[in-house]
Amino acid sequence: MVRESWGTRIGFIFAAVGSAVGLGNLWRFPWMTAENGGSAFLVVYLAIVLIVGVPGLLAEFVIGRRSKRNPAGALRRLAGGSDSWGLVGLLGVFTALVLLSFYSVVGGWILRYVGASATGAYFGNPGTYFGSVDFGVEAAAFHVGFLALTALVVAGGVRSGIEKATKVMTPVIVVLLVALAGWAVSQPGAGAGLSFYLDFDPSYLESHPVSVLQAAAGQALFTLSLGVGTMITYASYLGEDNSLAFDGSVIALLNTGVGFLAGLVVFPLLFALQGGLSETTAGGGPGALFVGVAGAFNQIPFGRVLAVAFFGVVLLAALSSSISMLEIPVAYLVDEHDVPRRAATLGLGGLVLVTGTICALNPGLFTTVSGPVVDTLLTAGLAGFLVFTGWVLGKDALAEYGTGSGALARSLGVPWLWSVRTVLPLFLVWTLALSFL
Ligand code: PHE
């Protein structure tokens, strides 16, 4: 069977941006920023995206396009059939399933909130409402709904499923977010939120350098979908005429822009309408979006309409990311075990139905998986991909990087390769070690 590929160059960019832009930007980023001192976190995070994120993205692209395979097949094949490298790739396939198990539960919450915004169900008391729906049988049911939507797109295939869907979803997300941000910053009292977010204040960073660094690194990988093999898989459907460096920069820039915009929506809302960061918003992860922001909508005219628009955007963003998670194990079964795409999607969907339901019923497990487990798996995964690119592919990586790219990008090839070989994996291993201490 002929392997699938993207129909257009822009199709790949939309799909990859769709993967990157997700709950990481809209739910995790404002929460992390709030918890880690605001503006100073923003600066550290931006630096890590640029210094670690972009080169990491390119390493995954190089592995994917060179091998035209899923992560497990890619590493084994490019390492001349090495089963140990195959296992490193297989770790990515496993991580994708772990990620999707908790992500789909949050996706289910959002699905529910689109409806609840229309009826105003949580308007009376957002905190109590969220507390009554976050975990349990109903949460599991909504998770299954979200997962079914994800599987529907993946079952359609690369071109007529993923590409078609994300080509519409991604621009809609960006346009709606810009509109929402314009509205949010013009709210009376938004200034306090903006200055918390944007006025650089190094004092928190100075007193908590290690924890800010770690949180910023974890967030940078999560938001760029790195360390799982998503970008390996998406780049495996690419042709030789795309410039990896150009596409990677566009993807990182758009993703960062959207994360930044999300902050422009969330912080003014929290400060203008909620009077600042309450315990729920600064403490628990889900709080900022589902209690803080949701609570703001009941105090404004046209609150229901705006709330539906807001959670609608979040839903689209979450879906275009969950699609990219499910695609990894699906590609693995299709490539390595000749399973037809639909059967693979159905089988893996069934598996995540069960693992996600377990998360939806166990708040403790959910929190551990969505926090430290995911951080560790992503960091270890990306370190593995970098070492592989730098030391196993070496010169071939440089050649693949250069294919289709312009003079400027090519001149950056050698420094890129050396950073992938040395400082970047060391940095990741160091943050990993810190998290265990
Ligand atoms: N980047 C996605 C987000 O921000 C999450 C993701 C991580 C998707 C890893 C795929 C792989 O929501």
Side-chain angles (χ1 to χ4, degrees):
M1 214 176 73
V2 182
R3 201 161 186 277
E4 294 183 90
S5 64
W6 302 112
T8 57
R9 173 173 184 168
I10 194 88
F12 163 68
I13 295 187
F14 277 141
V17 172
S19 168
V21 171
L23 297 173
N25 306 67
L26 295 156
W27 170 66
R28 211 171 181 265
F29 174 71
W31 153 40
M32 284 288 148
T33 309
E35 209 173 66
N36 289 286
S39 54
F41 174 84
L42 183 66
V43 173
V44 178
Y45 159 82
L46 287 176
I48 297 181
V49 164
L50 191 71
I51 299 168
V52 186
V54 176
L57 194 57
L58 295 178
E60 289 206 19
F61 283 173
V62 160
I63 298 175
R65 190 172 69 175
R66 186 113 187 138
S67 65
K68 305 257 186 300
R69 276 286 177 285
N70 66 92
L75 270 70
R76 176 151 40 71
R77 200 180 237 220
L78 293 175
S82 151
D83 282 335
S84 337
W85 280 113
L87 277 180
V88 174
L90 204 58
L91 176 74
V93 177
F94 169 77
T95 304
L97 292 168
V98 173
L99 265 177
L100 189 56
S101 304
F102 96 83
Y103 207 86
S104 178
V105 175
V106 185
W109 294 343
I110 292 165
L111 197 57
R112 173 177 209 134
Y113 266 67
V114 176
S117 300
T119 62
Y122 57 78
F123 278 26
N125 195 334
T128 316
Y129 181 82
F130 183 67
S132 67
V133 303
D134 54 356
F135 294 101
V137 178
E138 284 185 25
F142 278 97
H143 136 69
V144 175
F146 180 84
L147 186 63
L149 290 174
T150 305
L152 216 59
V153 175
V154 174
V158 174
R159 221 177 265 199
S160 42
I162 303 176
E163 183 165 351
K164 235 186 188 165
T166 52
K167 231 173 172 167
V168 180
M169 287 156 88
T170 306
V172 170
I173 296 166
V174 175
V175 170
L176 271 178
L177 257 185
V178 172
L180 279 170
W183 164 77
V185 297
S186 64
Q187 291 301 299
L194 288 180
S195 65
F196 171 78
Y197 184 39
L198 300 176
D199 290 351
F200 185 67
D201 170 10
S203 57
Y204 188 86
L205 177 61
E206 278 158 16
S207 56
H208 304 77
V210 173
S211 64
V212 171
L213 193 72
Q214 265 178 313
Q219 176 60 17
L221 301 198
F222 187 83
T223 189
L224 284 172
S225 308
L226 292 176
V228 198
T230 305
M231 295 303 182
I232 294 181
T233 310
Y234 273 12
S236 75
Y237 304 124
L238 262 185
E240 307 305 317
D241 48 349
N242 281 59
S243 160
L244 299 181
F246 179 82
D247 289 6
S249 311
V250 170
I251 291 161
L253 210 69
L254 277 173
N255 177 58
T256 309
V258 168
F260 182 72
L261 271 177
L264 286 184
V265 178
V266 171
F267 289 110
L269 278 183
L270 291 178
F271 278 81
L273 301 154
Q274 299 285 77
L277 294 169
S278 63
E279 257 161 49
T280 43
T281 53
L289 202 57
F290 294 98
V291 182
V293 176
F297 287 116
N298 72 9
Q299 304 170 37
I300 49 181
F302 305 108
R304 290 188 189 191
V305 179
L306 285 163
V308 171
F310 178 76
F311 283 104
V313 177
V314 183
L315 181 66
L316 287 181
L319 267 176
S320 57
S321 301
S322 61
I323 289 166
S324 75
M325 293 175 192
L326 184 56
E327 177 61 19
I328 302 174
V330 166
Y332 168 71
L333 290 183
V334 171
D335 286 347
E336 307 302 311
H337 299 282
D338 283 326
V339 182
R341 173 171 280 272
R342 288 197 176 166
T345 311
L346 199 67
L348 291 162
L351 177 67
V352 178
L353 190 152
V354 175
T355 52
T357 298
I358 298 173
C359 282
L361 298 176
N362 290 282
L365 181 73
F366 172 91
T367 312
T368 315
V369 170
S370 62
V373 170
V374 162
D375 277 345
T376 307
L377 286 172
L378 296 188
T379 313
L382 186 62
F385 296 150
L386 290 175
V387 170
F388 180 82
T389 305
W391 298 103
V392 178
L393 291 182
K395 289 232 161 59
D396 287 348
L398 207 54
E400 188 63 45
Y401 167 95
T403 304
S405 63
L408 173 66
R410 254 178 288 133
S411 69
L412 294 171
V414 172
W416 166 74
L417 185 64
W418 277 102
S419 67
V420 162
R421 281 185 167 163
T422 54
V423 283
L424 301 185
L426 284 175
F427 173 76
L428 293 175
V429 170
W430 177 63
T431 51
L432 209 56
L434 284 177
S435 68
F436 283 112
L437 292 180

